[in-house]
Amino acid sequence: MAGLIPTTIPNLGTGHEMALPDRLRDDVRELEGDIIRLRHQLHRRPEIGLHLPETQQAVLGALSDLPLEISTGTSCTSVTAVLRGTATAAGSGPAPAVLLRGDMDALPVREPAAEFSSTIDGTMHACGHDLHVAMLAGAARLLSAHRDALCGDVVFMFQPGEEGYDGAGRMLAEGVLEAAGPRVQRAYGMHVIAGNLARGQFTTRPGTMMASSDGLAVTVTGTGGHGSAPHRARDPISVAAEMITSLQTMVTRQFDIFDPVVVTVGSFHAGTKRNIIPEQASFDATVRTFSPAARERIETASVRLCQAIAAAHGLEADVRFTTEYPVTANDPVQAEFAAGVVADVFGADRFTPMRTPDAGAEDFSRVLEEVPGCYLFLGACPQDDFEAAADNHSPLAQFDDSVLADGCLLHANLAIRALQDIS
Ligand SMILES: [Zn+2]
Ligand SMILES: [Zn+2]
């Protein structure tokens, strides 16, 4: 499987008469065609979940000629690559390390036929993770050509299973933060956005950037009976319906509107026929919060509410709150640092401060719980009217190749400058 063209590396990093930022900018243009080709290759062969064998092979192929220490996951098809910087002073103790992350998995979405569209029916890179892989592989190549600018080591985290499989949690358990030896001291990632952000714009914010995502699953058990005689049965449907309504009342009456929560019941199942009271009714909700405090409180409050409503009507309820991804929170200093790097590399007009957090969730949150760092969004909408464009996860979501080189360049600059900061 063809990776990035191996012969490009000797041509990079040679313009020593130029300042480093200009050399990086020149070199990424050299790589751009290869980065785009890799993205198209990945886009045609999307894979879902924690096991992405073809994607893993494509990444290994793209990195094969680079001076990296590569390991692969045992509980998932992750790839971890370590690049040793050579600007570190000898004998000054272990070099510091920073982490750059790209997620790799696709979604169960059927993509309409188009240029380089998916050849796997019902599977699509509808969240743009193919761009993330290509940008990170490009950054590995670019930084490999500029090891002499790295005052420490870079860990490249190619992660499967972001879309609800907690691939980040698996990679943390397998030691990705210690891949270079000493634990990484900074971590950065970025996500391309198909709609609602202009092409080429970077955005992020200090503190909470994305929501936590948890689940509330409830099964109400009553006693079945004839629809004409509810007093001789125990109707689980009316009780479950009361829970669903009361959950919204709970949101407005028990939670601060300036620390919002979202509870959405996305599935409800009960019954077979209108004149039969069933034994059971069940529903499933997604729960989003924007602070660890609200997250902790809503678990207790929602479980208590559902159990108490069931008890009030003399029925049983099995109520399960399952935690998924925590709040994605940027370190305030690192958010400012990343915004500064964007402004410095691309110009201040390429950075849009993010006014409010996004209610989506992201398992890079697990890395940011452990290491100060920053997650950014990068607008990748091909059309100028980005507000009318389809969002990520839509079968109509489109991501423009023109942002790949800039994403790659930002990765490289974040790593170089973060290591300078630490040293
Ligand atoms: Zn997604
Ligand atoms: Zn995504």
Side-chain angles (χ1 to χ4, degrees):
M1 185 156 301
L4 297 170
I5 296 169
T7 51
T8 49
I9 190 169
N11 300 328
L12 299 180
T14 50
H16 284 284
E17 67 288 351
M18 285 195 283
L20 179 64
D22 297 327
R23 282 157 51 205
L24 290 168
R25 199 173 285 118
D26 265 23
D27 287 349
V28 86
R29 293 297 156 201
E30 290 280 313
L31 289 178
E32 187 174 14
D34 296 334
I35 299 169
I36 291 172
R37 273 189 285 284
L38 178 60
R39 187 245 158 165
H40 290 187
Q41 174 192 336
L42 294 163
H43 195 87
R44 285 188 193 97
R45 305 294 299 167
E47 296 175 294
I48 294 171
L50 291 164
H51 299 286
L52 321 173
E54 268 195 57
T55 307
Q56 184 186 44
Q57 282 311 308
V59 170
L60 293 172
L63 305 181
S64 61
D65 62 318
L66 299 178
L68 301 166
E69 296 163 24
I70 292 179
S71 55
T72 52
T74 53
S75 66
C76 60
T77 53
S78 62
V79 177
T80 302
V82 178
L83 177 66
R84 304 286 179 191
T86 56
T88 322
S92 57
V98 300
L99 180 146
L100 301 174
R101 179 268 208 165
D103 45 0
M104 309 197 284
D105 54 324
L107 287 160
V109 172
R110 179 160 290 111
E111 183 170 27
E115 194 196 351
F116 69 84
S117 56
S118 171
T119 60
I120 301 178
D121 192 33
T123 307
M124 174 185 174
H125 266 298
C127 205
H129 298 184
D130 49 335
L131 285 87
H132 300 173
V133 177
M135 292 190 300
L136 193 62
R141 180 161 300 268
L142 187 58
L143 288 170
S144 292
H146 291 280
R147 292 169 81 182
D148 58 355
L150 285 171
C151 309
D153 304 332
V154 183
V155 175
F156 299 92
M157 175 182 182
F158 291 91
Q159 181 214 304
E162 189 284 324
E163 298 284 2
Y165 302 90
D166 199 10
R170 295 202 180 210
M171 290 190 75
L172 288 177
E174 290 187 2
V176 68
L177 300 182
E178 292 81 28
R183 190 181 174 89
V184 295
Q185 295 182 40
R186 302 279 187 273
Y188 306 96
M190 102 186 68
H191 205 303
V192 290
I193 301 292
N196 216 18
L197 181 63
R199 183 175 60 255
Q201 282 294 306
F202 292 93
T203 186
T204 190
R205 68 194 309 279
T208 299
M209 178 181 174
M210 296 178 79
S212 64
S213 171
D214 298 316
L216 178 71
V218 179
T219 300
V220 182
T221 302
T223 308
H226 198 289
S228 65
H231 63 290
R232 292 175 49 75
R234 287 271 183 273
D235 180 3
I237 293 182
S238 57
V239 171
E242 186 175 329
M243 290 175 185
I244 292 168
T245 310
S246 296
L247 283 166
Q248 299 309 321
T249 310
M250 173 198 75
V251 167
T252 68
R253 304 296 90 184
Q254 296 187 39
F255 289 86
D256 184 346
I257 55 165
F258 295 109
D259 187 6
V261 302
V262 177
V263 178
T264 295
V265 176
S267 89
F268 184 102
H269 296 283
T272 54
K273 199 166 186 292
R274 68 183 178 196
N275 63 354
I276 300 170
I277 293 172
E279 291 278 322
Q280 288 192 323
S282 59
F283 65 88
D284 212 347
T286 187
V287 179
R288 307 287 166 124
T289 60
F290 297 85
S291 74
R295 188 185 193 202
E296 206 180 304
R297 286 217 309 121
I298 204 162
E299 173 167 4
T300 312
S302 60
V303 171
R304 181 181 60 210
L305 184 86
C306 294
Q307 283 176 338
I309 289 172
H313 294 288
L315 280 75
E316 299 284 321
D318 180 54
V319 184
R320 287 166 204 250
F321 191 96
T322 48
T323 55
E324 291 165 1
Y325 294 165
V327 171
T328 302
N330 290 323
D331 178 85
V333 173
Q334 290 308 307
E336 195 182 326
F337 164 79
V341 174
V342 170
D344 202 48
V345 174
F346 303 104
D349 61 339
R350 293 282 299 278
F351 183 77
T352 309
M354 191 174 166
R355 284 189 302 116
T356 56
D358 185 287
E362 167 59 63
D363 68 355
F364 191 61
S365 54
R366 296 213 186 277
V367 175
L368 293 177
E369 278 190 328
E370 300 290 325
V371 182
C374 183
Y375 199 56
L376 300 104
F377 289 141
L378 167 56
C381 181
Q383 66 195 61
D384 291 338
D385 185 5
F386 56 86
E387 285 179 354
D391 286 321
N392 291 33
H393 288 207
S394 162
L396 302 177
Q398 291 197 318
F399 303 90
D400 201 279
D401 288 334
S402 69
V403 305
L404 287 163
D406 285 351
C408 173
L409 192 58
L410 183 67
H411 270 311
N413 275 282
L414 286 169
I416 290 169
R417 294 170 194 226
L419 286 168
Q420 278 167 353
D421 256 21
I422 297 166
S423 304

